[in-house]
Each structure stands twice: as C-alpha cells, then as structure tokens.
Amino acid sequence: MTVTPPIVAPSILAADFAHLADEVRAVEDAADWLHVDVMDNHFVPNLTIGLPVVQSLRAVTRLPFDVHLMIDDPRRWAPGYADAGAYNVTFHAEACDNPVALAKDLRAAGAKAGLAIDRDTAIEPYLELLPSFDTLLIMTIKAGFGGQRFVPELLEKVRAARRHVDAGHLELRIEVDGGIAADTIEQAAAAGADAFVAGTAVYGADDPAEAVRRLRGLAERAVAGA
C-alpha cells in the first residue's frame, strides 16, 4: 500500500452557517482542506450553498477548498468553482455522462479533479477512469445529508480502489465522506483511504481544531499498524 500523509477536511455542512467565517478560522491551523458540500435539491434532496458563498469564504482563509458537488449537470457549474479558487472540485459519476471530459475542463481551469461514487453505485466501472483524476471520493453514507451513520461495508470500495491505484502507481487521493469520526476513521484508513471528510466530529466538538488533530493522529496510527 502506498503511504501518504493523511488529509483531514472538516465539512462546513456541520458548521454554524450564521458564522461561517469564524467556523472556518476555528480549524485553519489544524485542517488540511476545507470541505464544501454543494447540494442543489435535485441530485440530492437537500439544498445548501453555492458559488457566491464559496467566493466569499475564499477571501477569509488560506485553506485549500475541497468542493463536493452533489448537483445535476456538473459540466455546467463545476468550472465556476475552479475559477473561484477551489483547490479540488469533485462531481458525482452518477450525474455526468462524460467524467473524463469534465476532469480535463477542471484541470484546465486550474483545479484538481475529483470523481465521487455514491453509496449504491458500483466502483468497478470507474476504475479505468482514475488516471484522469486527482481524487476519488467514496461515500460511506448516502449522499445528501450530514450526520448519517457510517456504513462499514462500503469500505470494500475503498479496498478495491486502493488495490487499483497501487497496482497502477497512480497519484490519486482516496477520500471518504460520511460518518467519519474517532470511532470510524481508523477503519477507513486501514482500508486504504488517505483523505477524510469529517463534519459533526469536528464542528460538534468543543475544540474543532483539536478534533481535527486527533482524527489525523488516529488515521496515522491505523496506517502505521497496517
């Protein structure tokens, strides 16, 4: 297994939306990325934030933005997030008929390109596309709502992806999103994930920055013991 330093990406979906700038600053010195969930009430049955909020937040933090688009028609909207300064823009395989073309557009716009696989989607049809991407986001819940319980059976997708990535010597982050907390992150890291989205586990803690550091330490321990 390729060993890369784990990335912890707090999800502002779990933050206080009335004080987003302050919530971002609370993790700035601890987090690696800031995870931004964009939902459109079409692809998923929830509505969150969009491009204007991302543009506003970009001005108040140096953290790299990990934008997760849970939206229909990502080909139309995704490049705008790259133009707004997102470090990584991830869209769902289920919502795009030509993922490789959109990945090229995102890279041309200056962002990393990420492909997301939802809970009920098989990963095998997408493994051969991975050289075109920088991040593979595997949902460990059903996309669309924060606070769901982690589904450990979905780590089989992580294991399959890790085998494929290592066999092909690909430079790709395998990210997991959904129910990641102190009691689940080690399982995900041992399965081969190296980037971890954590919402409630960070923003539900008394000290969000310390929660990020603890999660990273647990992931590192799991990899060291693998």
Side-chain angles (χ1 to χ4, degrees), residues 33 154 205:
W33 296 348
L154 297 174

Side-chain angles (χ1 to χ4, degrees), residues 106-188:
L106 289 169
R107 286 173 163 180
K112 303 286 188 182
L115 184 69
I117 305 293
D118 204 359
R119 181 192 66 187
D120 300 326
T121 300
I123 197 170
E124 287 76 14
Y126 299 99
L127 292 176
E128 296 304 320
L129 305 185
L130 295 185
S132 297
F133 289 87
D134 304 287
T135 306
L136 173 66
L137 174 61
I138 296 174
M139 298 301 300
T140 42
I141 57 171
K142 177 66 177 172
F145 295 94
Q148 296 180 60
R149 186 179 297 277
F150 177 81
V151 182
E153 291 78 11
L154 297 174
L155 293 180
E156 285 302 320
K157 294 183 187 180
V158 175
R159 296 182 185 99
R162 175 52 64 193
R163 289 192 295 269
H164 189 83
V165 166
D166 287 352
H169 304 286
L170 303 180
E171 292 188 11
L172 180 90
R173 284 281 180 179
I174 299 177
E175 187 173 14
V176 286
D177 182 0
I180 298 299
D183 60 344
T184 58
I185 193 169
E186 291 180 89
Q187 299 172 57

Side-chain angles (χ1 to χ4, degrees), residues 35-107:
H35 191 79
V36 182
D37 288 305
V38 177
M39 306 182 194
D40 66 355
N41 195 33
H42 293 283
F43 179 71
V44 292
N46 200 359
L47 185 67
T48 56
I49 61 176
L51 188 56
V53 175
V54 171
Q55 291 168 327
S56 296
L57 286 178
R58 184 65 284 167
V60 302
T61 181
R62 64 179 184 275
L63 280 172
F65 283 7
D66 179 36
V67 176
H68 179 192
L69 300 178
M70 287 171 267
I71 64 174
D72 283 335
D73 197 11
R75 191 81 186 264
R76 177 181 178 186
W77 300 107
Y81 290 88
D83 292 340
Y87 172 77
N88 184 73
V89 180
T90 295
F91 59 92
H92 270 264
E94 303 87 359
C96 187
D97 59 2
N98 194 339
V100 171
L102 181 48
K104 290 178 180 177
D105 290 346
L106 289 169
R107 286 173 163 180

Side-chain angles (χ1 to χ4, degrees), residues 201-224:
V202 171
Y203 282 112
D206 292 336
D207 185 339
E210 181 56 32
V212 170
R213 296 185 187 101
R214 183 183 180 211
L215 289 170
R216 186 185 296 106
L218 291 168
E220 290 171 343
R221 185 174 74 180
V223 172

